[in-house]
Amino acid sequence: MNVAINVLKLIASIIICQVASLIGAKFTIHPANIIWYAQLAKPAFNPTNDAFYPVWIVLYTLMGIALYLVWRKNLEQGEVKIALSLFSAQLLLNVLWSWVFFELQAPFYAFFEIILLAIVILSTVIAFYKQSELAAVLMMPYFLRVCYEAILNYYIWQMNP
């Protein structure tokens, strides 16, 4: 029974993160937003469009595994609740960034939102570390990628006044 519950929690954790990814992607694949983004000046280190999706699928999967590693802990513990609340907040902020950047076409506001996102992700990593070192390690590629995206966001904002 425990094994079946853990497998279901793992699958649910990965699905939760992938659904968040799909919601965020909804804003990036809208034809008007694709045209807008294609017309923006971008720095030389901007990745190709083909590189975005495979990287994010892997990152969201790692996030899902990290979520599972903390979720399987005792939910009665306050620190576990805090860790899961932080995770939920960063997931919401991640989707919100896509909306602000692409749907609102507002790199200026998206930059400040992604800084907040990075802070909440780092807070999540710290909270996860207290529950599972592996969960924290699994979140680090995502944190680093968001930091890279923040730099990219900054340059796009500056290059497109």
Side-chain angles (χ1 to χ4, degrees):
M1 181 81 172
N2 250 356
V3 172
I5 290 172
N6 282 334
V7 168
L8 288 175
K9 281 185 176 181
L10 174 60
I11 292 168
S13 297
I14 293 170
I15 289 172
I16 288 166
C17 293
Q18 294 297 338
V19 166
S21 171
L22 291 173
I23 293 169
K26 175 186 175 287
F27 303 115
T28 66
I29 62 172
H30 188 279
N33 297 340
I34 291 171
I35 293 168
W36 170 78
Y37 186 74
Q39 294 173 344
L40 292 174
K42 296 174 205 71
F45 61 87
N46 188 69
T48 64
N49 290 341
D50 296 343
F52 277 101
Y53 297 110
V55 168
W56 281 106
I57 288 171
V58 171
L59 293 175
Y60 279 104
T61 301
L62 293 175
M63 290 165 54
I65 296 167
L67 172 60
Y68 161 74
L69 291 172
V70 174
W71 185 13
R72 71 182 184 163
K73 302 287 182 174
N74 183 355
L75 289 176
E76 300 303 316
Q77 294 178 356
E79 287 188 348
V80 173
K81 288 180 182 178
I82 291 169
L84 294 176
S85 296
L86 286 167
F87 185 89
S88 299
Q90 67 78 25
L91 202 57
L92 179 63
L93 286 168
N94 186 305
V95 172
L96 183 62
W97 180 86
S98 296
W99 179 72
V100 172
F101 188 89
F102 287 99
E103 191 68 20
L104 297 182
Q105 299 180 358
F108 171 78
Y109 294 112
F111 175 71
F112 292 100
E113 196 279 347
I114 203 169
I115 296 301
L116 177 61
L117 171 59
I119 292 166
V120 176
I121 293 170
L122 185 57
S123 299
T124 304
V125 169
I126 293 166
F128 273 24
Y129 184 83
K130 294 175 183 176
Q131 303 306 316
S132 165
E133 290 180 21
L134 179 56
V137 168
L138 291 173
M139 290 291 290
M140 285 308 295
Y142 168 55
F143 172 69
L144 294 173
R145 180 63 187 214
V146 167
C147 289
Y148 166 76
E149 297 286 343
I151 294 166
L152 184 60
N153 188 152
Y154 175 80
Y155 275 90
I156 290 173
W157 161 40
Q158 292 300 306
M159 295 171 75
N160 299 277

